Amino acid sequence: MNNEVLLLKYGEVVMKGLNRGYFDNMIVRRVKQLLKDVEGTFSLEYAQSTLCIVGDEYADMVEAAEKMKKVFGVASVCRAYRCEKTVESIRETVKEHLEELIGDAKTFKCEGKRSDKSFPLSSPALSGEIGGTVLQLMPHLKVDVVNPDVTIRLEVRDKYAAVHGGGEKGAGGMPNGSAGHGLLLLSGGIDSPVAGYLMAKRGLSLDGLYFDSPPYTGQAAEDKVNALAEVLAGYCGKFYLHTISLTEIQEVLMRDCDERLFTVLLRRFMMRLAERQAKNVNASALITGESLGQVASQTLHALTVTNAVPELPVFRPCIAMDKDEIVQISRKIGSFEISILPYEDCCTVFVPRHPNTRPTLEQILEEEAKLDINGLVDRAMETHRHKKILG
Ligand code: ATP
Ligand code: MG
């Protein structure tokens, strides 16, 4: 009998009050979207902060479980066997799947959890009862209640019982889109995809904005950013990637402004363009991968001057992270190998030899007074292109 199910246990959303249904629906919508691409037909049953996914005989539960680990709002994903809520049925289910549950473990324990208090055995009594059966069938095993190799979990829920060997960690966070919409400044580097992932995890749906600089930047750099957008789309569902060209702005800055202030001047233009684009896509926040002190444009002075441009809040979730901490997340989400591909981006095309790490707003405004800021921004906005990426 195929009684295998997936149990998705919800995380922080269970703390929500009256608007709980709003968050739950978002999780369910994302789950359904992801299951569409998995072999088999699935039905969903929700109860007691847990979404139970039941597959038909063709269902690929392994792939389904893998996909469910990317759903924000889900704390753990558990492949379980569902059965009737009787001691005998639980016992039979454990027996049927015992080899798989035990694997090569030498010690084990059973952990009963009775949320339906009308069930005749208490949680410890159920653990003892089923533990006894396991020992009879596999006498070489030893019980270790403190640090067992394997814990067989026996959940007695309101409508059914479930047996499993423990869940895997889910993506956590809040359902995608539940906190609003943000625009991620997505370069080809390591930091910005991580920043996008972290904000998506807190419930922002994302559009991405990539600045290119043709002919100085090429197709390879764009392909790389596309690949990073695909990684993010895997978490967000869909992701619009916008591209705007900075070529004219960079050339004018090189020609007319103090080279030592080039990077900060450019970053202020990025913010102006990003804010315009954010308005066009109804995004209420900008997101960057900046990390304090990492490079000359990310000193507190430089960030202050850059931050003086946008009215929208700018989220910088990597601001307090060391590079190795950012790298660790980028490996986990699958962006690292893409990010380290060696293609130039617009920021590596013109790099001042001696950037000013302590720019003041006064100096910057003096430089900007030489420029037709609105004209440059308008013309850059005309280069806008976009594509939809599905995850
Ligand atoms: P990353 O690894 O994300 O490229 P970085 O350490 O190289 O970051 P910078 O190049 O100074 O830092 O960029 C800081 C942030 O500005 C990036 O994290 C990104 O959010 C944004 N940014 C930089 N270059 C671009 C670009 N070409 N297109 C879009 N956003 C960019
Ligand atoms: Mg970069």
Side-chain angles (χ1 to χ4, degrees):
M1 191 177 91
N2 179 18
N3 52 0
E4 188 179 352
V5 295
L6 296 179
L7 300 180
L8 271 52
K9 308 214 173 171
Y10 288 8
E12 227 177 289
V13 294
V14 303
M15 320 282 282
K16 297 288 167 192
L18 289 177
N19 50 1
R20 171 75 193 273
Y22 167 78
F23 294 95
D24 289 354
N25 285 339
M26 285 183 153
I27 296 181
V28 168
R29 206 180 318 140
R30 182 70 185 127
V31 165
K32 284 184 176 163
Q33 194 183 30
L34 284 168
L35 289 176
K36 267 193 211 146
D37 295 332
V38 182
E39 175 94 31
T41 307
F42 299 88
S43 60
L44 309 182
E45 295 168 25
Y46 178 75
Q48 297 175 286
S49 303
T50 301
L51 188 66
C52 179
I53 302 179
V54 185
D56 67 1
E57 59 194 301
Y58 307 106
D60 184 342
M61 298 306 266
V62 176
E63 200 199 341
E66 250 347 273
K67 295 220 173 213
M68 294 306 109
K69 283 197 260 171
K70 286 192 168 180
V71 178
F72 289 128
V74 172
S76 74
V77 176
C78 185
R79 290 176 62 194
Y81 296 102
R82 191 160 83 151
C83 60
E84 269 177 53
K85 235 171 46 171
T86 63
V87 177
E88 278 328 300
S89 174
I90 294 172
R91 195 192 317 277
E92 283 314 306
T93 306
V94 169
K95 279 163 106 175
E96 190 184 342
H97 300 285
L98 192 56
E99 287 193 5
E100 179 195 330
L101 286 164
I102 293 296
D104 53 10
K106 297 192 169 50
T107 60
F108 84 105
K109 74 170 171 179
C110 284
E111 195 164 284
K113 191 169 159 216
R114 177 185 67 152
S115 52
D116 172 7
K117 302 297 176 206
S118 68
F119 188 75
L121 294 189
S122 67
S123 299
L126 176 64
S127 309
E129 181 68 32
I130 303 298
T133 303
V134 173
L135 280 176
Q136 269 173 12
L137 291 168
M138 292 190 168
H140 67 281
L141 287 178
K142 291 214 158 26
V143 174
D144 180 346
V145 291
V146 181
N147 190 21
D149 295 338
V150 159
T151 301
I152 300 177
R153 294 174 198 275
L154 316 163
E155 296 187 24
V156 181
R157 301 179 146 263
D158 285 353
K159 298 225 166 71
Y160 57 88
V163 170
H164 60 87
E168 285 189 80
K169 210 165 171 333
M174 297 297 284
N176 192 248
S178 63
H181 191 55
L183 180 67
L184 169 67
L185 281 76
L186 180 61
S187 69
I190 295 171
D191 309 330
S192 48
V194 169
Y197 162 81
L198 289 171
M199 294 318 300
K201 183 174 179 201
R202 286 313 299 166
L204 283 185
S205 56
L206 301 179
D207 273 24
L209 172 58
Y210 166 59
F211 296 111
D212 68 356
S213 191
Y216 308 106
T217 60
Q219 190 58 43
E222 187 170 331
D223 291 347
K224 178 178 170 181
V225 175
N226 272 319
L228 291 171
E230 274 171 28
V231 171
L232 290 169
Y235 289 93
C236 299
K238 68 173 186 296
F239 187 98
Y240 286 90
L241 180 62
H242 307 270
T243 303
I244 292 175
S245 299
L246 286 179
T247 315
E248 187 194 357
I249 293 173
Q250 288 182 299
E251 288 174 347
V252 168
L253 290 179
M254 270 325 245
R255 193 187 64 208
D256 296 345
C257 295
D258 180 347
E259 188 198 327
R260 288 167 304 168
L261 295 173
F262 174 86
T263 309
V264 175
L265 288 165
L266 182 64
R267 296 202 59 74
R268 282 168 59 89
F269 272 99
M270 286 187 181
M271 287 298 171
R272 290 185 184 100
L273 295 166
E275 195 154 57
R276 284 260 198 116
Q277 187 55 38
K279 296 215 165 104
N280 292 344
V281 297
N282 279 329
S284 328
L286 303 177
I287 301 153
T288 76
E290 288 157 311
S291 165
L292 188 63
Q294 194 189 78
V295 288
S297 62
Q298 294 169 28
T299 63
L300 185 52
H301 284 86
L303 287 170
T304 304
V305 174
T306 306
N307 209 43
V309 171
E311 283 173 17
L312 288 176
V314 181
F315 295 141
R316 300 177 169 92
C318 300
I319 197 75
M321 294 166 76
D322 293 351
K323 194 74 185 188
D324 61 348
E325 292 169 314
I326 302 173
V327 164
Q328 218 176 338
I329 299 176
S330 86
R331 285 189 192 280
K332 185 180 86 176
I333 65 174
S335 57
F336 182 73
E337 298 300 330
I338 305 166
S339 291
I340 57 174
L341 294 170
Y343 304 118
E344 75 293 343
D345 96 334
C346 70
C347 296
T348 49
V349 178
F350 304 94
V351 183
R353 276 155 300 173
H354 302 292
N356 182 342
T357 55
R358 298 169 73 90
T360 64
L361 194 53
E362 216 176 9
Q363 288 170 313
I364 293 289
L365 294 177
E366 212 170 287
E367 291 302 309
E368 286 180 350
K370 303 176 190 165
L371 307 170
D372 167 20
I373 292 180
N374 287 336
L376 285 168
V377 169
D378 287 345
R379 286 192 296 281
M381 287 306 293
E382 281 166 19
T383 68
H384 169 261
R385 297 169 280 141
H386 80 281
K387 68 163 71 155
K388 183 178 181 179
I389 294 170
L390 292 174

